[in-house]
Amino acid sequence: MGLSSFYGAIGSDEERFKVLDRAYELGETFWDSAAVYGDNEDLIGKWFAKNPDKRKDIFLATKFAFKVDPQGERAIDSSPENVKESCEMSLKRLGVKTIDLFYCHRVDMKTPVEKTVKAMAELQRYAESHRSDLRIRAANKMQ
């Protein structure tokens, strides 16, 4: 869902809310974002704040691993530390307590993928056992 980058001029929040409203009206309820998509997660968070009753209808996915530095250079970081940091940041930007699918956008070829997946599993277990207000679903538990 690239409402904030890659596809030409970026509209105002109100213009982009209309796109999200229309997507919802049409039954498009799988919303996939990423931190690297400009202010996309912030925009979705604002939309949820305006439409709190609609969050339950949206299957919300977001990705981690791409990082953009202040000069606009991109890097990939699929380290366990970034898994946890990225999840917390996405939850804040999205303004939600639940991410339905949190997944790795790209692997960095430095971190063994097993370590990335282990960090994701630990994050899910932590959410299930320590934070009653936070839920992260694992792909193998989705129905």
Side-chain angles (χ1 to χ4, degrees):
M1 175 181 289
L3 294 173
S4 303
S5 57
F6 308 118
Y7 302 109
I10 299 167
S12 69
D13 283 0
E14 289 306 316
E15 290 172 314
R16 296 181 296 161
F17 289 150
K18 288 178 185 175
V19 173
L20 294 173
D21 289 337
R22 186 66 177 139
Y24 181 86
E25 289 169 13
L26 293 171
E28 298 297 334
T29 57
F30 180 90
W31 291 12
D32 189 353
S33 190
V36 74
Y37 296 168
D39 72 343
N40 213 65
E41 288 184 336
D42 297 294
L43 179 76
I44 292 170
K46 291 175 190 176
W47 189 88
F48 284 143
K50 290 176 63 155
N51 300 280
D53 56 315
K54 295 179 180 175
R55 170 62 185 102
K56 68 185 182 324
D57 302 324
I58 303 295
F59 186 90
L60 182 61
T62 195
K63 300 174 282 297
F64 69 92
F66 273 117
K67 287 187 163 188
V68 181
D69 70 20
Q71 292 75 36
E73 295 295 317
R74 290 189 187 179
I76 299 172
D77 181 358
S78 56
S79 69
E81 298 79 19
N82 192 47
V83 170
K84 295 169 186 166
E85 178 184 325
S86 295
C87 184
E88 286 297 324
M89 294 304 296
S90 288
L91 287 165
K92 286 179 186 174
R93 284 189 295 268
L94 291 162
V96 297
K97 294 179 180 178
T98 303
I99 295 171
D100 298 304
L101 177 61
F102 183 65
Y103 63 109
C104 190
H105 211 151
R106 299 281 190 282
V107 293
D108 62 19
M109 307 306 281
K110 297 180 291 188
T111 306
V113 70
E114 296 86 353
K115 287 189 175 189
T116 303
V117 173
K118 182 180 179 185
M120 294 168 67
E122 288 170 355
L123 187 62
Q124 181 190 7
R125 279 193 300 278
Y126 173 79
E128 290 173 349
S129 63
H130 292 89
R131 298 239 344 238
S132 61
D133 65 328
L134 173 63
R135 192 178 73 220
I136 301 168
R137 296 183 192 166
N140 64 347
K141 291 188 177 185
M142 286 187 272
Q143 298 176 349

